Amino acid sequence: MTYDLLRTLKLTTGFGNPGSTEQTFLQDFPADFTYVLSLQEASVIAMADAFAQVTGRPALVNVHSSAGLGNAVGNLVAAYHGNTPLIITSGQQHRELVIGDPYLGNREATTLPKPWVKWSYESARAEDVPEAFMRAYAEALQPPAGPVYLSIPMDDWKRPLSGFTRVRTVSDRVAPDTERLRGCADRISASRRPALVFGPDVDRAGGWDGAVALAEKLRASVYGAPP
């Protein structure tokens, strides 16, 4: 049923470098999904980052448990600062084995990717996995957009479910306060030597033409945002 939800959300392209704890996720991988395989998790994040920025939609990422996620953290930092909507999943050992600290278990799984994710979660029950994906989608997309993380035990994918109960609609826009915006405009108009600093969110939000018009109206110098 989780695949049905991902299909509904148009999350049918995944990027990954899987290991043994992801086998159950990939075993019955749907034929209408695309899985882009990379040989290292840092590359997985980089490819998914580019895909999400180009499409304007969250990208689905699949990495191995603790070691795989650790390899991905470097580029995860870049995705966090770039406000890239990524849904990063990693496998977790079988629930019945986690108590024994197995080698492939992810200790404190939800802590490992912090602080470079907006939300980090491991479901308490297999039945919660579809709802966790739905919240992850909303968290990743809502402004300020950014990566989120889900840890999914191996046995959760094999648990039959009757189906997910709801698909949420998610807005990716916020509106500024009109009075505050007017006050800001007045101060900018009164400035003598204004300078504008534009980051990638201007283009991502479709504001390129408006940014050019503003710079020309103010006769302002324009700079790119620092990395």
Side-chain angles (χ1 to χ4, degrees), residues 39-83:
L39 298 181
Q40 215 273 352
E41 290 84 358
S43 300
V44 170
I45 297 292
M47 292 190 298
D49 190 326
F51 178 86
Q53 291 199 45
V54 170
T55 61
R57 303 195 310 270
L60 183 63
V61 179
N62 178 234
V63 298
H64 194 34
S65 55
S66 53
L69 182 60
N71 289 337
V73 167
N75 281 341
L76 179 58
V77 173
Y80 178 84
H81 284 299
N83 296 121

Side-chain angles (χ1 to χ4, degrees), residues 188-202:
I188 292 175
S189 297
S191 61
R192 293 182 179 180
R193 298 179 59 187
L196 300 174
V197 181
F198 291 143
D201 281 343
V202 172

Side-chain angles (χ1 to χ4, degrees), residues 49-201:
D49 190 326
F51 178 86
Q53 291 199 45
V54 170
T55 61
R57 303 195 310 270
L60 183 63
V61 179
N62 178 234
V63 298
H64 194 34
S65 55
S66 53
L69 182 60
N71 289 337
V73 167
N75 281 341
L76 179 58
V77 173
Y80 178 84
H81 284 299
N83 296 121
T84 304
L86 302 179
I87 300 174
I88 302 167
T89 66
S90 75
Q92 173 66 292
Q93 187 54 268
H94 283 273
R95 291 180 182 276
E96 62 185 17
L97 300 179
V98 171
I99 187 64
D101 276 339
Y103 181 78
L104 296 178
N106 193 351
R107 296 184 182 182
E108 299 184 21
T110 59
T111 302
L112 184 57
K114 294 179 179 178
W116 309 115
V117 290
K118 289 180 62 181
W119 184 59
S120 184
Y121 185 71
E122 181 178 277
S123 57
R125 308 177 304 156
E127 294 81 359
D128 296 332
V129 172
E131 183 67 23
F133 266 104
M134 186 67 255
R135 178 171 173 181
Y137 178 83
E139 293 274 1
L141 191 59
Q142 288 175 334
V148 298
Y149 171 73
L150 293 178
S151 172
I152 306 175
M154 292 178 68
D155 42 325
D156 284 6
W157 291 103
K158 291 297 184 181
R159 189 74 60 86
L161 301 175
S162 59
F164 55 90
T165 57
R166 59 175 180 164
V167 176
R168 296 168 56 186
T169 59
V170 181
S171 173
D172 61 355
R173 291 288 185 270
V174 293
D177 182 276
T178 304
E179 291 302 317
R180 290 179 180 271
L181 191 61
R182 183 177 293 110
C184 182
D186 291 341
R187 295 181 66 180
I188 292 175
S189 297
S191 61
R192 293 182 179 180
R193 298 179 59 187
L196 300 174
V197 181
F198 291 143
D201 281 343

